[in-house]
Amino acid sequence: MTRLIIGAMVRAIGAYPSGWRYPGAHRDPRNDAGVLRLTARLAEQARLDYLFFGDWLATGHDLEHRDPYLVARIDPLSTISHLAAVTDRIGLIATVDSTYADPYPVARATASIDLLSGGRAGLNLVTSADPRAALNHGVDFERVNPTRYDRAVEFEAVLRRLWDSFDDDAIVADAASGRFLAPGSLHETGFRGEHVRSAGPLNVLRPVQGHLPIVRSGGSPRSQLIAAQSADLALVAANDLAHAVSVREELRALAFESGRDDRTLKVIAPVLPIVGETRADAQQLADELSELMQLVEDWPDGPPPGFPASRSLASLSTLVGVDLAGRSPDLAVTPSVAEQFGAAGQQLVEIVAERTGRTPGGTRPPTLRHLVVAAAVNAPIIVGTAADIAGEFETWGEAGAVDGFNVLSAVQPSQFEAFTSLVAPELVRRGVLPPAYEGETLREHLGLERPESSFARPSYAGAHI
């Protein structure tokens, strides 16, 4: 089996919208630090390649119900700085929004973290399409939105120039001659683009990894092109195996056409495994999480402002082709009800059966709530034992669908503990994960070479250390 990249996309209160409501789940962001340290320790013991921290630059009551993990969260750069001090080998990837950030302080912070962590930092560069984020930064969304991808390209170019400000052997510290810097080892890195400007050079030494691994995500043609041209990791949400194979092939082709070695672009898919000692245990957890999800109909006088309209019987009616208005969300879906559904409804019934074990006509039939949840929770979910989940990973890897996975946890910390204690050893047994870390830096974990500086020159011959 080909070695896959396995990272964890960390959401401190869990990635499933109702996960924080599950008994024993972490639900108070004031105590995130302890959960983050536990997650880092478990991930490193399991020899995962990295921890990945996303970001969102605004908050609101709508997020409380749609994506509660976004309501209140610690800044990603602060998070990886903290975790770098309590880990030794695992990579740490933070997100920065290039639409509003200044490249000089980002280059300075990321180079510093890479040096302090021994080369374990990575950077996920995103662009924002949220008007609230623009307001929080005092800019006009209508002005910045049309050019955010152009700015993203310039932002990355500036970062790479700034990281190359010093040669790797710039510091000679020759006490006898009084020379601290090798001649010509500090470079002019000035950049004046249409959207980004920086005089440089950076006042931090070149990162241990040369350049931090750059991550890009997004499904738009422009975001995929940017990822193909320069990213090290491309995060791609795929609907199924065939779709994943197609997207990876397209990204690799774009990378090759841009003039780079397409093998250096690693395509990573998010996945949310729900893990149990037995398949029935896993399905029971998935079932309980579905029942903890609130729908529009749960409020007799109407849901709170901003509640997702997709979590309703009205939305389900449109999908299945049957008017369900006035019915209870907890009405059982019997065979006579299910046979009225169109193709999309039949597919939802199959998804619910796979995830929860509930089937129309069975001893535990699904309810309308289960179908609404299956349609509304937009996540690639795998429910089963360690062997089930590892087998699915293996299938995708062997099919050339992905180079690795970003693992989400429905409930924290229990489901992450289940993944690291049950699934990770099975992945090691199958050769998907190595039995021990094989490198020191994040680049080495990802199978990437260290880039040469854009200002590469012969080593300073007169250096005396």
Side-chain angles (χ1 to χ4, degrees):
M1 173 60 199
T2 303
R3 157 84 155 94
L4 291 178
I5 296 165
I6 306 294
M9 184 179 284
V10 182
R11 295 173 180 173
I13 65 165
Y16 203 90
S18 61
W20 66 273
R21 301 183 66 197
Y22 191 78
H26 170 62
R27 58 176 61 98
D28 188 347
R30 290 171 294 187
N31 301 322
D32 278 359
V35 170
L36 292 172
R37 287 193 295 269
L38 173 62
T39 299
R41 184 168 69 250
L42 292 171
E44 193 162 67
Q45 289 171 354
R47 295 170 297 282
L48 302 192
D49 294 304
Y50 60 79
L51 299 174
F52 177 100
F53 299 91
D55 202 11
W56 196 258
L57 297 177
T59 191
H61 282 288
D62 59 312
L63 298 177
E64 174 187 1
H65 305 287
R66 191 188 81 204
D67 295 304
Y69 70 91
L70 292 176
V71 171
R73 60 190 301 164
I74 298 171
D75 165 70
L77 287 173
S78 302
T79 299
I80 69 169
S81 297
H82 175 67
L83 295 181
V86 297
T87 55
D88 297 308
R89 303 295 291 276
I90 195 165
L92 301 163
I93 300 175
T95 296
V96 166
D97 192 327
S98 63
T99 308
Y100 306 111
D102 183 331
Y104 191 92
V106 171
R108 190 167 191 254
T110 52
S112 298
I113 296 169
D114 201 56
L115 288 161
L116 292 169
S117 67
R120 295 187 290 125
L123 183 60
N124 176 41
L125 287 175
V126 301
T127 66
S128 177
D130 183 1
R132 288 182 294 190
L135 291 173
N136 286 341
H137 290 82
V139 299
D140 180 3
F141 176 74
E142 298 301 327
R143 179 178 63 83
V144 300
N145 186 51
T147 60
R148 59 192 175 99
Y149 288 118
D150 295 330
R151 191 178 199 277
V153 172
E154 291 186 4
F155 192 98
E156 182 181 336
V158 174
L159 281 184
R160 294 187 185 278
R161 286 179 68 84
L162 289 170
W163 285 334
D164 285 343
S165 294
F166 287 91
D167 287 339
D168 290 319
D169 56 356
I171 306 298
V172 295
D174 185 357
S177 68
R179 183 177 294 282
F180 188 71
L181 281 176
S185 63
L186 178 59
H187 303 284
E188 294 297 327
T189 60
F191 184 96
R192 291 178 63 87
E194 186 177 350
H195 307 282
V196 177
R197 296 180 182 181
S198 178
L202 190 65
N203 63 342
V204 179
L205 291 180
R206 194 165 191 248
V208 173
Q209 300 178 95
H211 296 174
L212 275 66
I214 296 288
V215 185
R216 293 282 189 181
S217 59
S220 72
R222 184 69 192 280
S223 59
Q224 289 192 340
L225 177 61
I226 293 172
Q229 289 174 334
S230 61
D232 298 294
L233 297 186
L235 303 186
V236 176
N239 301 327
D240 51 40
L241 179 63
H243 181 224
V245 170
S246 174
V247 171
R248 183 171 179 264
E249 288 177 351
E250 182 178 354
L251 282 168
R252 287 287 185 89
L254 287 171
F256 182 79
E257 290 166 8
S258 73
R260 65 182 289 192
D261 182 348
D262 61 293
R263 294 169 298 179
T264 62
L265 176 64
K266 309 295 184 178
V267 179
I268 310 296
V271 62
L272 198 160
I274 296 180
V275 189
E277 291 275 2
T278 67
R279 191 172 300 173
D281 290 340
Q283 289 177 333
Q284 179 64 30
L285 173 55
D287 189 48
E288 292 175 14
L289 290 172
S290 293
E291 294 187 348
L292 288 170
M293 286 279 285
Q294 293 172 302
L295 308 187
V296 166
E297 289 74 16
D298 291 327
W299 282 273
D301 299 322
F307 190 87
S310 62
R311 294 183 194 167
S312 67
L313 295 184
S315 178
L316 180 64
S317 297
T318 302
L319 284 173
V320 303
V322 176
D323 184 6
L324 302 170
R327 303 194 189 188
S328 167
D330 298 310
L331 177 71
V333 179
T334 62
S336 61
V337 172
E339 68 184 12
Q340 302 175 51
F341 296 162
Q346 299 296 336
Q347 186 177 26
L348 287 177
V349 170
E350 292 174 6
I351 290 172
V352 170
E354 183 178 332
R355 292 179 182 176
T356 69
R358 291 177 176 262
T359 58
T363 56
R364 295 169 57 248
T367 66
L368 295 177
R369 183 183 303 275
H370 288 95
L371 300 186
V372 173
V373 172
V377 178
N378 185 24
I381 298 174
I382 307 173
V383 179
T385 64
D388 293 332
I389 291 159
E392 191 74 5
F393 281 21
E394 197 171 36
T395 297
W396 280 49
E398 290 178 344
V402 295
D403 297 290
F405 292 95
N406 254 6
V407 176
L408 295 147
S409 295
V411 181
Q412 279 280 42
S414 61
Q415 273 295 287
F416 191 69
E417 291 174 329
F419 182 84
T420 53
S421 65
L422 299 175
V423 182
E426 180 66 15
L427 292 173
V428 171
R429 189 186 71 78
R430 294 170 183 243
V432 176
L433 269 177
Y437 281 114
E438 299 170 322
E440 300 293 331
T441 70
L442 176 56
R443 279 192 168 274
E444 290 171 335
H445 297 343
L446 301 176
L448 299 170
E449 294 184 359
R450 186 177 188 271
E452 187 177 60
S453 170
S454 54
F455 302 102
R457 62 175 185 83
S459 298
Y460 173 50
H464 301 284
I465 305 298

